[in-house]
C-alpha cells in the first residue's frame, strides 16, 4: 500500500457529547403513583367456558394481597387430609428397606440430658401462692357399652357422638386450689386416664387428655405456667404410650414386629386403628389441644407411612405459628422438640425451624396483648422472661445434640446475636466458651475460618476501646485510633502473626493473615498529623515485609494519604504540602521494587505517578512513569493465577491502554524531546518478545492512534488542575502537530505491513479483525477529507469484509452510529455499498 499522510480531525467534544445523550420524552404520570398497588394479570387456558363464550383463555387481575388464612377456607378439612394420606401408595418393599437403612432412627445416648432430670427443678422453681382453678367439660354420662353383636359402623358412630358430646356436657369446675391441691388433682386425672383405658373406655380417656391439654391455653396465673406444663405433659406422655402400645400389640399377629419395622410390616387392622385415632384427634376444634394430643401420638405415625414422622413434625411446627400467646407457643415448641427427639433425633430440620420461629416470636412480648396481661397480673418483664428459660434451654439442647463438631458453626452465628442484643459481659462469656471448646486437642486448628468469622462479627459492634479492652478474652476495635498504648498492643499482635509465616505457610493462610493485618492498618488514623501517619506506614513496612499484600496495601494507603493532604492543606500550607507529597512519592518509589508481582509493580508505578501528577509533583510523576516503561521488558509471557499458568498478554494490553490514557495529561520534559514518554513506550512495545502469531503489538499501535489524535486538539478532552499539559506548552505549534502526524504515519505503516503478512489462509480471520479495528480508528479520529486517508479507510473496509469473517450488518450499524454522531460532514460512500450490501435509506450506503 502507498504511504499515508495522517491528519487528525478537529474534535468538538461538547457537541459530540450532546449528540450522544438520550432524547428526553414526556411521560404521562396521570395514572401513576409509586405507592399504587401493583396489578398482576394471570392468563390461564380455560378447560371449559361459559355458554356462548368464544374466548379460549381468561385473564384475571387483582391488586389485593392474598390472605394467608384464605387457604384454610378452600373446602379441605383435617379428616379429608388424613384420608388422602392413608390412600397414598406405599413404596416397593426393596425401596422402603433401602430408605429404612438410610433413615434409621438414632437413639439418644447418655450424653443427652433427659427431660425427667429437669422436671423436679421446674416444679420447685416456678411456684405461686395465688389460687388456681381447673375447668373440665367431661361430657354427659350417656355413653353405653356396645353389645358384641353391634356393627362396626355403629360402634364408630357411637364413639364419634360421644366425642361430639364433649362440647355440650356437664361442667366440672374446681376453684380456689392451692398449688399442692392443683398438683394432686392433675395426678388424679392422670390416674383416671389409666383406669379409663384399662376398662376399655377409650373415648373417656381421650376426653381427659383433651381437657387437660386445654389447660395449657390458660395463662391466668402466668408464673405457674412452666410447672403446669410439666404436669399436663406427664398426662400426654402417658396417653401417647398407651395408644402406641395398643397398636403395637395389634401388630403381633401373625408375627411380632421388629424394633426397626417399616409401615409395610404393619397389618391392615393395626393401620385402621391407628388411622381412627388420628381421625378423632383431627376433629378436636381448638388448636392447642389438637396440637398437643397429636404430638403425643407422633410415634404412631410409624404404623402408617415411612415418612409420616418427618411430615407430621413439619406440619405441627407450622401449626404452632397460629398460637397467639408467645409463652404458650414456646412451650408447645419445647414439647414438640421433646417428642421429636424421643422418636427421631436425627431429623434436625424441624428443630431448627422451631428455634428460628422462637426467635421471630419474641417481638410479640412487647405487643399490647402481652403487656396488658402482665399489667393485670402485676408481673415485671424481667420476671416474665425467666418463664421462657426452661423451654428455650430444652430447645437449644435438642438443636445442639451431637453437634461438638458443629459447635463452632453455631457459635459463629450466636456471637453476632450476642453482640447485637447483649452487653460486653455476655460477649466475653461466649468468647470464653469458644476458647473452652476449641482449646482441647488443638481443635482450633481445624476451625480457623470460623474463628476469623467470629472476629469479623464482633468488630462492627464495639466502637469503644475502653469497653473492648475491658473484656478479658478479646482486644480490638472498629473505629480508627491513635492511642499509642493500643497501637503498640495491636502492632505486637500483628507482628506475632506475621512472624509465624515461614516457607511452609500456605498461600491461603498468608492471605488470611494479610486481611487481618490490613484491617488493623485501616484502623490507624492520626487525623491531620500526616507526618505521623507516614511514619507509622514506614514502621509497618519494616514490620510486615514478608507479606506482600500488606506492602501493597501500605502503598495504596500512602497514595491515599497524599491525595487527602492535597484536599486538606491549602493556601499557606502549599509548600508543606508539596514537601509531604514528595515524601509519600519517595516512600512508594522505594517500596515498589520490593514486590515480586510484576503487574503489581506496574500498576502501582502508574498509580503513584498519577497521584504525583495530581499534586503537581511533575519530576516525581515523570520518574514513576519512566520506571513503569523500563519495567515492561521484564514482563514474562506467562504468569501464575490461582496456581495455573496464564498468558500475560491480556493483562499487559490492559495496563498499556491505561498508561496511554494517562499520557494525554503528562507534559513533555523540557530536556527529553517531544512525546518522549510515548516514544519510549512504543519502543519498548516494539522490542518486547510477544507470543508467536500474536497481534498484541499491532493492537497497541492502533490504541496509540486515538491518544495521538487527542494530543493534536486545541483543547484536550480532560486535564489536571494546575498542571499545564502539552496543549498549553505547545499551543498548537505546527512543529508539534507535524511530529504527531509523523508518528501516526509510522504506526499506520507498521499496521499495514502486518496486515499484508496475514494474507495467507491461516491469518485471514486475524487480518479481518485488525483491518476493521484500524478502519474504526480512522473513522473516529482521522481527517477523511484527505483523499489518501479516505481511500485507505475504504480499502480497510473492503479488506475486513473480503473473506466473510466480519459480520456485515453489525459492522455497518456500528459504522453508521459513528458517522451520524461523530462525522456529520463525512461524504457519502456510494462505491462501498457494492461491497457490503448497504442498508436502504442510508446516506452512507446510497
Amino acid at each position: 500500500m502507498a504511504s499515508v499522510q495522517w491528519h487528525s480531525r478537529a474534535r468538538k467534544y461538547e457537541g459530540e457529547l450532546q449528540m450522544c445523550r438520550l432524547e428526553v420524552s414526556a411521560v404521562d404520570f396521570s395514572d401513576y403513583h409509586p405507592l399504587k398497588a401493583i396489578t398482576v394479570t394471570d392468563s390461564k387456558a380455560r378447560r371449559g367456558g361459559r355458554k356462548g363464550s368464544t374466548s379460549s383463555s381468561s385473564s384475571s387481575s387483582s391488586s389485593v394481597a392474598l390472605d394467608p388464612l384464605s387457604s384454610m377456607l378452600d373446602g379441605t378439612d383435617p379428616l379429608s387430609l388424613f384420608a388422602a394420606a392413608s390412600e397414598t401408595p406405599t413404596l416397593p418393599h426393596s425401596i422402603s428397606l433401602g430408605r429404612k437403612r438410610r433413615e434409621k432412627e438414632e437413639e439418644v445416648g447418655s450424653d443427652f440430658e433427659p427431660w425427667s432430670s429437669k422436671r423436679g427443678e421446674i416444679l420447685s422453681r416456678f411456684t405461686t401462692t395465688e389460687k388456681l382453678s381447673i375447668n373440665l367439660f367431661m361430657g354427659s354420662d350417656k355413653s353405653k357399652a356396645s353389645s358384641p353383636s353391634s356393627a362396626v359402623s355403629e360402634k364408630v358412630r357411637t364413639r364419634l357422638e360421644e366425642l361430639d358430646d364433649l362440647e355440650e356436657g356437664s361442667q366440672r369446675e374446681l376453684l380456689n386450689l392451692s398449688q399442692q391441691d392443683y398438683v394432686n388433682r392433675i395426678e388424679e386425672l392422670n390416674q383416671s386416664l389409666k383406669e379409663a383405658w384399662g376398662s376399655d373406655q377409650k373415648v373417656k380417656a381421650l376426653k381427659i387428655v383433651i381437657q387437660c391439654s386445654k389447660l395449657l391455653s390458660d395463662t391466668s396465673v402466668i408464673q405457674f405456667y412452666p410447672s403446669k406444663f410439666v404436669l399436663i405433659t406427664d398426662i400426654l406422655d402417658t396417653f401417647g404410650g398407651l395408644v402406641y402400645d395398643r397398636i403395637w400389640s395389634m401388630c403381633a399377629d401373625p408375627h411380632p414386629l421388629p424394633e426397626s419395622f417399616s409401615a409395610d410390616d404393619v397389618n391392615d387392622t393395626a393401620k385402621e386403628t391407628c388411622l381412627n385415632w388420628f381421625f378423632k384427634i383431627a376433629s378436636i376444634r381448638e388448636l392447642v389441644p389438637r396440637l398437643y394430643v397429636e404430638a403425643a401420638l407422633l410415634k404412631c405415625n410409624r404404623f402408617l407411612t415411612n415418612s409420616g414422622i418427618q411430615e407430621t413434625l413439619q406440619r405441627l411446627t407450622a401449626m404452632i405459628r397460629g398460637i397467639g400467646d408467645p409463652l404458650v407457643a414456646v412451650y408447645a415448641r419445647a414439647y414438640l422438640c421433646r417428642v421429636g427427639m424421643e422418636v427421631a433425633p436425627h431429623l434436625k430440620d424441624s428443630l431448627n425451624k422451631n428455634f428460628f420461629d422462637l426467635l421471630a416470636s419474641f417481638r410479640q412480648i412487647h405487643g399490647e396483648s402481652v403487656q396488658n396481661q402482665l399489667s393485670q397480673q402485676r408481673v415485671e418483664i424481667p420476671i416474665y422472661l425467666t418463664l421462657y428459660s426452661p423451654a428455650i434451654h430444652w430447645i437449644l439442647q435438642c438443636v445442639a445434640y451431637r453437634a461438638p463438631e458443629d459447635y463452632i458453626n453455631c457459635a459463629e452465628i450466636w456471637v453476632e446475636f450476642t453482640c447485637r442484643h447483649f452487653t460486653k459481659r455476655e460477649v466475653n462469656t461466649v468468647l470464653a466458651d469458644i476458647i473452652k471448646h476449641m482449646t482441647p486437642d488443638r481443635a482450633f486448628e481445624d476451625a480457623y475460618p470460623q474463628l476469623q468469622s467470629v472476629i469479623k462479627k464482633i468488630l462492627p459492634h464495639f466502637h469503644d476501646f475502653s469497653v473492648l479492652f475491658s473484656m478479658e478474652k478479646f482486644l480490638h476495635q472498629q473505629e480508627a485510633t491513635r492511642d499509642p498504648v493500643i497501637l503498640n498492643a495491636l502492632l505486637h499482635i500483628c507482628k506475632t502473626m506475621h512472624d509465624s509465616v515461614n516457607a511452609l505457610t500456605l498461600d491461603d493462610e498468608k492471605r488470611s493473615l494479610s486481611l487481618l493485618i490490613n484491617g488493623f492498618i485501616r484502623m490507624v488514623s492520626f487525623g491531620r498529623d500526616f507526618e505521623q501517619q507516614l511514619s507509622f506506614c514506614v514502621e509497618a513496612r519494616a514490620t510486615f515485609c514478608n507479606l506482600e499484600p500488606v506492602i501493597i496495601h501500605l502503598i495504596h494507603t500512602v497514595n491515599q494519604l497524599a491525595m487527602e493532604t492535597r484536599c486538606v492543606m491549602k493556601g499557606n500550607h502549599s509548600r508543606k504540602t508539596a514537601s509531604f507529597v514528595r515524601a509519600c512519592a519517595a516512600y512508594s518509589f522505594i517500596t515498589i521494587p520490593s514486590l515480586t508481582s510484576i503487574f503489581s509493580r506496574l500498576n502501582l508505578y502508574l498509580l503513584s505517578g498519577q497521584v504525583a501528577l495530581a499534586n503537581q509533583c511533575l519530576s516525581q510523576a515523570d520518574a514513576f512513569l519512566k520506571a513503569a516503561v523500563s519495567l515492561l521488558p521484564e514482563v514474562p509471557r506467562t504468569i501464575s493465577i490461582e496456581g495455573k499458568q496464564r498468558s500475560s498478554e491480556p493483562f499487559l494490553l490492559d495496563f498499556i491502554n491505561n498508561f496511554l490514557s494517562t499520557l494525554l495529561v503528562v507534559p513533555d520534559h523540557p530536556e527529553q524531546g517531544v512525546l518522549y514518554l510515548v516514544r519510549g513506550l512504543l519502543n519498548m512495545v516494539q522490542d518486547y518478545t510477544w507470543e508467536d502469531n500474536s497481534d498484541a503489538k499491532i493492537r497497541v499501535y492502533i490504541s496509540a492512534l486515538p491518544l495521538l489524535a487527542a494530543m493534536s486538539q486545541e483543547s484536550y478532552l480532560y486535564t489536571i488542575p494546575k498542571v499545564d499539559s502539552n496543549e498549553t506548552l505547545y499551543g498548537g505549534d505546527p512543529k508539534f502537530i507535524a511530529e504527531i502526524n509523523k508518528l501516526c504515519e509510522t504506526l499506520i505503516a507498521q499496521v499495514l505491513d502486518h496486515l499484508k503478512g496475514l494474507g495467507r489462509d491461516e491469518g485471514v480471520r486475524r487480518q479481518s479483525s485488525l483491518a476493521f479495528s484500524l478502519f474504526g480508528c480512522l473513522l473516529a479520529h482521522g481527517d477523511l477529507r484527505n483523499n489518501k486517508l479516505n481511500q485507505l479507510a475504504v480499502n480497510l473496509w473492503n479488506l475486513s469484509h473480503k473473506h466473510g469473517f466480519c459480520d456485515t450488518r453489525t459492522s455497518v450499524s456500528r459504522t453508521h452510529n459513528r458517522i451520524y454522531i461523530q462525522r456529520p460532514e463525512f461524504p457519502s460512500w456510494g462505491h462501498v455499498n457494492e461491497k457490503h450490501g448497504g442498508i436502504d435509506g442510508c446516506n452512507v450506503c446510497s
Side-chain angles (χ1 to χ4, degrees):
M1 294 185 180
S3 61
V4 177
Q5 294 181 354
W6 172 268
H7 294 281
S8 301
R9 73 180 183 92
R11 304 290 295 273
K12 297 180 180 179
Y13 294 116
E14 288 296 329
E16 294 178 13
L17 180 62
Q18 293 295 333
M19 296 186 66
C20 290
R21 286 176 175 166
L22 297 176
E23 295 183 1
V24 178
S25 59
V27 179
D28 183 12
F29 289 97
S30 60
D31 194 35
Y32 170 78
H33 191 278
L35 299 181
K36 184 178 180 180
I38 299 175
T39 300
V40 180
T41 302
D42 183 19
S43 298
K44 302 179 181 179
R46 287 187 177 178
R47 295 184 180 180
R50 295 183 178 179
K51 184 177 180 180
S53 173
T54 59
S55 174
S56 60
S57 64
S58 65
S59 298
S60 62
S61 62
S62 175
S63 60
V64 181
L66 290 178
D67 183 358
L69 300 179
S70 61
S71 59
M72 302 301 296
L73 305 176
D74 59 358
T76 59
D77 60 88
L79 297 180
S80 301
L81 294 177
F82 275 116
S86 66
E87 297 172 0
T88 302
T90 58
L91 294 173
H93 186 66
S94 59
I95 298 179
S96 66
L97 289 178
R99 176 176 294 179
K100 179 173 63 179
R101 286 191 295 269
R102 291 192 302 269
E103 298 182 358
K104 185 179 180 180
E105 295 178 1
E106 303 172 356
E107 296 289 336
V108 290
S110 58
D111 54 337
F112 186 81
E113 185 179 4
W115 175 256
S116 58
S117 65
K118 302 177 182 296
R119 183 179 182 278
E121 177 189 356
I122 297 175
L123 290 175
S124 61
R125 178 182 175 188
F126 298 93
T127 60
T128 183
T129 58
E130 297 185 30
K131 296 301 181 180
L132 303 169
S133 62
I134 298 178
N135 295 321
L136 296 178
F137 294 85
M138 298 306 298
S140 59
D141 213 5
K142 56 188 179 183
S143 58
K144 298 180 181 179
S146 301
S147 62
S149 60
S150 62
V152 175
S153 58
E154 190 90 9
K155 183 186 296 184
V156 172
R157 186 183 304 109
T158 300
R159 290 188 174 179
L160 289 177
E161 288 174 355
E162 291 174 348
L163 197 60
D164 289 337
D165 186 56
L166 180 66
E167 301 295 335
E168 56 193 46
S170 61
Q171 178 178 351
R172 181 184 176 191
E173 187 174 13
L174 303 177
L175 301 175
N176 298 322
L177 298 176
S178 65
Q179 178 178 322
Q180 188 58 46
D181 292 335
Y182 189 96
V183 173
N184 294 337
R185 295 299 179 271
I186 296 297
E187 290 178 351
E188 289 175 5
L189 288 171
N190 199 355
Q191 187 62 32
S192 299
L193 167 65
K194 296 176 183 178
E195 294 174 355
W197 188 271
S199 60
D200 201 29
Q201 299 183 56
K202 304 296 190 301
V203 174
K204 181 179 179 181
L206 180 58
K207 289 180 180 181
I208 294 174
V209 174
I210 292 173
Q211 292 305 307
C212 291
S213 300
K214 285 185 177 182
L215 298 177
L216 292 175
S217 300
D218 177 27
T219 58
S220 57
V221 184
I222 199 167
Q223 291 176 302
F224 186 66
Y225 190 86
S227 294
K228 181 198 292 187
F229 170 81
V230 171
L231 297 172
I232 300 301
T233 52
D234 285 347
I235 297 178
L236 289 165
D237 294 340
T238 300
F239 177 72
L242 291 173
V243 174
Y244 185 86
D245 292 339
R246 165 67 175 162
I247 301 175
W248 174 275
S249 64
M250 299 176 66
C251 299
D253 184 26
H255 303 290
L257 284 177
E259 282 294 328
S260 58
F261 69 93
S262 69
D264 297 330
D265 302 323
V266 181
N267 59 48
D268 293 337
T269 303
K271 284 186 177 180
E272 182 180 1
T273 302
C274 182
L275 199 59
N276 185 38
W277 277 109
F278 283 113
F279 284 158
K280 293 177 181 178
I281 295 171
S283 65
I284 301 174
R285 294 174 182 143
E286 296 184 27
L287 173 61
V288 172
R290 183 170 73 248
L291 188 147
Y292 271 99
V293 177
E294 185 173 357
L297 269 60
L298 177 66
K299 192 175 181 179
C300 296
N301 283 276
R302 293 184 61 190
F303 298 111
L304 297 178
T305 62
N306 295 328
S307 60
I309 292 178
Q310 182 175 5
E311 295 170 356
T312 303
L313 282 173
Q314 295 176 355
R315 180 167 53 80
L316 294 181
T317 299
M319 285 173 60
I320 296 177
R321 298 169 187 164
I323 300 178
D325 192 310
L327 184 64
V328 176
V330 72
Y331 277 93
R333 293 187 178 98
Y335 184 71
L336 184 61
C337 291
R338 178 156 75 85
V339 295
M341 286 295 293
E342 293 172 356
V343 175
H346 63 288
L347 298 178
K348 294 287 188 179
D349 288 345
S350 62
L351 297 175
N352 295 332
K353 288 181 180 178
N354 274 290
F355 173 70
F356 287 112
D357 287 349
L358 163 66
L359 297 181
S361 67
F362 264 101
R363 70 187 67 179
Q364 296 176 267
I365 294 176
H366 301 285
E368 182 179 356
S369 176
V370 174
Q371 293 298 319
N372 290 339
Q373 184 182 33
L374 297 182
S375 176
Q376 292 173 2
Q377 300 191 35
R378 299 179 180 179
V379 177
E380 299 293 334
I381 281 289
I383 301 298
Y384 174 72
L385 291 177
T386 60
L387 303 178
Y388 286 77
S389 58
I392 295 176
H393 185 274
W394 178 260
I395 293 174
L396 288 176
Q397 179 181 336
C398 294
V399 171
Y401 180 63
R402 288 186 177 171
E405 66 273 10
D406 295 331
Y407 168 81
I408 188 61
N409 294 328
C410 180
E412 177 187 353
I413 305 301
W414 268 101
V415 73
E416 184 174 11
F417 178 83
T418 309
C419 291
R420 286 186 178 182
H421 304 290
F422 296 90
T423 66
K424 64 173 185 177
R425 177 175 173 271
E426 288 77 18
V427 175
N428 194 59
T429 302
V430 172
L431 292 178
D433 195 66
I434 292 175
I435 295 172
K436 174 184 175 182
H437 282 80
M438 304 309 294
T439 300
D441 300 325
R442 300 180 66 84
F444 59 87
E445 292 182 346
D446 298 326
Y448 283 133
Q450 292 89 339
L451 292 175
Q452 181 179 346
S453 179
V454 168
I455 296 174
K456 290 182 178 178
K457 285 179 168 62
I458 291 177
L459 295 183
H461 298 283
F462 289 88
H463 300 160
D464 187 351
F465 266 104
S466 61
V467 174
L468 205 54
F469 269 89
S470 63
M471 289 197 305
E472 180 186 357
K473 305 299 179 181
F474 195 77
L475 294 175
H476 209 26
Q477 183 172 352
Q478 179 69 19
E479 291 183 349
T481 183
R482 59 184 301 172
D483 188 292
V485 176
I486 296 174
L487 294 184
N488 287 334
L490 297 179
L491 195 62
H492 175 74
I493 295 174
C494 292
K495 185 178 186 302
T496 302
M497 294 190 296
H498 169 269
D499 293 344
S500 67
V501 176
N502 53 45
L504 300 179
T505 305
L506 299 176
D507 290 340
D508 287 343
E509 187 173 352
K510 289 181 179 179
R511 279 193 289 268
S512 298
L513 292 175
S514 299
L515 285 174
L516 291 174
I517 296 175
N518 288 341
F520 159 65
I521 293 173
R522 283 192 290 268
M523 304 286 182
V524 180
S525 175
F526 292 90
R528 295 194 177 187
D529 191 350
F530 299 116
E531 289 82 0
Q532 187 64 29
Q533 191 82 32
L534 182 59
S535 298
F536 171 80
C537 291
V538 172
E539 181 182 1
R541 178 181 61 187
T543 305
F544 309 120
C545 57
N546 291 330
L547 292 175
E548 186 160 305
V550 178
I551 302 301
I552 294 174
H553 179 72
L554 286 170
I555 297 174
H556 281 283
T557 301
V558 170
N559 280 316
Q560 183 179 1
L561 190 62
M563 294 303 296
E564 290 177 358
T565 307
R566 173 176 174 267
C567 296
V568 174
M569 293 186 176
K570 298 179 181 179
N572 297 331
H573 300 280
S574 59
R575 293 184 180 179
K576 186 177 181 180
T577 302
S579 175
F580 179 78
V581 171
R582 285 194 292 268
C584 292
Y587 178 98
S588 299
F589 197 79
I590 294 171
T591 309
I592 291 174
S594 66
L595 302 176
T596 59
S597 171
I598 186 71
F599 283 102
S600 293
R601 280 184 278 164
L602 285 172
N603 290 320
L604 287 174
Y605 272 135
L606 178 57
L607 173 63
S608 301
Q610 292 168 343
V611 172
L613 197 63
N615 286 278
Q616 300 97 47
C617 296
L618 301 184
S619 59
Q620 284 76 15
D622 187 71
F624 280 116
L625 297 178
K626 285 197 295 186
V629 172
S630 63
L631 190 60
L632 289 177
E634 300 180 21
V635 176
R637 296 174 65 175
T638 60
I639 57 176
S640 177
I641 300 178
E642 297 181 352
K644 297 181 180 180
Q645 292 296 317
R646 305 289 187 186
S647 172
S648 63
E649 277 192 3
F651 303 96
L652 184 56
L653 288 176
D654 184 62
F655 168 78
I656 291 176
N657 287 332
N658 290 337
F659 193 89
L660 288 172
S661 65
T662 303
L663 292 182
L664 178 62
V665 294
V666 178
D668 282 339
H669 195 284
E671 299 178 359
Q672 299 291 340
V674 178
L675 303 177
Y676 78 101
L677 280 175
V678 178
R679 295 179 187 275
L681 175 64
L682 294 176
N683 289 336
M684 288 296 180
V685 171
Q686 176 70 31
D687 297 336
Y688 182 76
T689 304
W690 298 92
E691 295 182 11
D692 297 336
N693 300 321
S694 171
D695 300 322
K697 178 173 69 174
I698 302 304
R699 294 196 177 277
V700 173
Y701 290 163
I702 296 175
S703 298
L705 291 175
L707 167 66
L708 296 171
M711 285 183 167
S712 65
Q713 304 300 315
E714 293 183 1
S715 298
Y716 284 3
L717 180 60
Y718 49 87
T719 58
I720 295 179
K722 298 183 180 180
V723 174
D724 292 333
S725 302
N726 287 336
E727 62 172 339
T728 304
L729 296 181
Y730 295 105
D733 188 289
K735 294 182 179 180
F736 177 66
I737 302 300
E739 288 290 333
I740 292 177
N741 292 340
K742 183 178 179 181
L743 185 55
C744 290
E745 292 167 5
T746 302
L747 295 177
I748 292 176
Q750 292 281 348
V751 176
L752 295 179
D753 288 342
H754 185 76
L755 289 175
K756 186 176 180 181
L758 295 176
R760 303 181 183 88
D761 293 339
E762 62 274 9
V764 291
R765 182 183 294 273
R766 293 159 51 201
Q767 183 189 63
S768 174
S769 176
L770 290 174
F772 192 75
S773 295
L774 181 57
F775 165 79
C777 184
L778 296 182
L779 184 63
H781 304 285
D783 185 1
L784 297 184
R785 291 174 298 184
N786 180 284
N787 290 333
K788 289 188 176 181
L789 205 59
N790 190 322
Q791 185 59 46
L792 174 61
V794 173
N795 293 340
L796 288 171
W797 173 273
N798 293 333
L799 180 62
S800 65
H801 292 77
K802 179 178 180 180
H803 300 285
F805 292 111
C806 188
D807 183 68
T808 300
R809 297 196 66 85
T810 302
S811 59
V812 169
S813 176
R814 290 173 57 186
T815 303
H816 291 172
N817 291 338
R818 289 189 176 184
I819 291 175
Y820 290 141
I821 295 174
Q822 300 175 348
R823 308 304 302 271
E825 80 287 355
F826 191 66
S828 62
W829 281 6
H831 50 286
V832 180
N833 183 38
E834 300 174 359
K835 298 293 182 182
H836 67 65
I839 296 179
D840 294 339
C842 174
N843 293 332
V844 178
C845 299
S846 59

